[in-house]
Amino acid sequence: MKNIDKNLTIGKNTKNTQSKKTRGFGYQILGFGSGGGGAKFVAATGGTESTSGDFKIHTFTSPGTFCVSCAGNPGGSSTVEYLVVAGGGSGGGLQIAGGGGGAGGFRTNFPTCTGTPVCAQGYPVTIGGGGGGSSGNAAQNSPVGNNGSDSSALSITSSGGGRGGSKHPSSSGQPGGSGGGGNGRSTYPKGTGNSGGFTPSEGNPGGNGNGQNYAKGGGGGGSGGPGGNA
């Protein structure tokens, strides 16, 4: 999966103004701010701003506010597209016995027939960090890792990824946006994905360990598919 470093992007797809091949996230900016009874278009500030053709893109990699100054109208544009990605979980402890961390939840309304309406107001944006890793002597009890943190914007929340299972102390892969991989013992299995219960799913389960003592753990789940078994 392409590493997007917890990026969160907010925007709107317009009517036939840009080829879908680019898969850009943005809202139409041609003519925004026009007065009278004509077409009006969404206008906003916040995050790192860029444009692609007729689209404006706002990318957040740290907390901030998406500030809408003009909500547009149906004659122009009045909705946005979003891409919300949470922080990934860390791997489990104890070298090869630990499972891989699950990816953060991945949610988007692209492509859809209609986007998400916005109003002229500020929308808080929260960026979830990755889970802190485990540490310690590989032959002794090693602290387990941590789940990733949630990200949210426009009332859309993506769940942090589940941490991988650990051998010492024994634990399973944890649920999350995508689940953590199980440790090397089958009694401590993989974590489930889509912990937010969303449709479509925000992620996938982790993979299983190979069921042997001090053996290989399973891979963490990702947005594109489940984690691999050991």
Side-chain angles (χ1 to χ4, degrees), residues 117-177:
V118 292
C119 300
Q121 66 179 60
Y123 293 89
V125 175
T126 300
I127 303 298
S134 59
S135 62
N137 187 325
Q140 304 297 325
N141 285 0
S142 300
V144 297
N146 296 277
N147 291 355
S149 300
D150 297 350
S151 291
S152 64
L154 300 174
S155 299
I156 301 298
T157 298
S158 293
S159 307
R163 64 171 172 78
S166 174
K167 175 64 172 63
H168 287 302
S170 296
S171 64
S172 304
Q174 297 298 295

Side-chain angles (χ1 to χ4, degrees), residues 8-191:
L8 181 152
T9 305
I10 298 172
K12 188 239 179 228
N13 170 46
T14 74
K15 298 179 180 177
N16 300 321
T17 57
Q18 176 170 310
S19 169
K20 290 295 184 181
K21 292 180 181 179
T22 63
R23 291 188 170 233
F25 293 89
Y27 51 81
Q28 187 177 1
I29 59 175
L30 289 178
F32 78 85
S34 58
K40 294 183 179 180
F41 299 82
V42 174
T45 59
T48 299
E49 301 176 19
S50 59
T51 57
S52 177
D54 295 336
F55 293 79
K56 187 175 181 183
I57 303 165
H58 298 258
T59 302
F60 293 79
T61 55
S62 60
T65 304
F66 179 60
C67 298
V68 179
S69 57
C70 178
N73 66 17
S77 67
S78 59
T79 63
V80 302
E81 289 174 345
Y82 60 79
L83 171 64
V84 183
V85 182
S90 68
L94 196 61
Q95 294 183 329
I96 61 175
F106 178 99
R107 299 186 65 195
T108 181
N109 65 348
F110 177 84
T112 59
C113 295
T114 57
T116 297
V118 292
C119 300
Q121 66 179 60
Y123 293 89
V125 175
T126 300
I127 303 298
S134 59
S135 62
N137 187 325
Q140 304 297 325
N141 285 0
S142 300
V144 297
N146 296 277
N147 291 355
S149 300
D150 297 350
S151 291
S152 64
L154 300 174
S155 299
I156 301 298
T157 298
S158 293
S159 307
R163 64 171 172 78
S166 174
K167 175 64 172 63
H168 287 302
S170 296
S171 64
S172 304
Q174 297 298 295
S178 284
N183 71 29
R185 299 179 64 186
S186 61
T187 52
Y188 300 100
K190 63 188 178 184

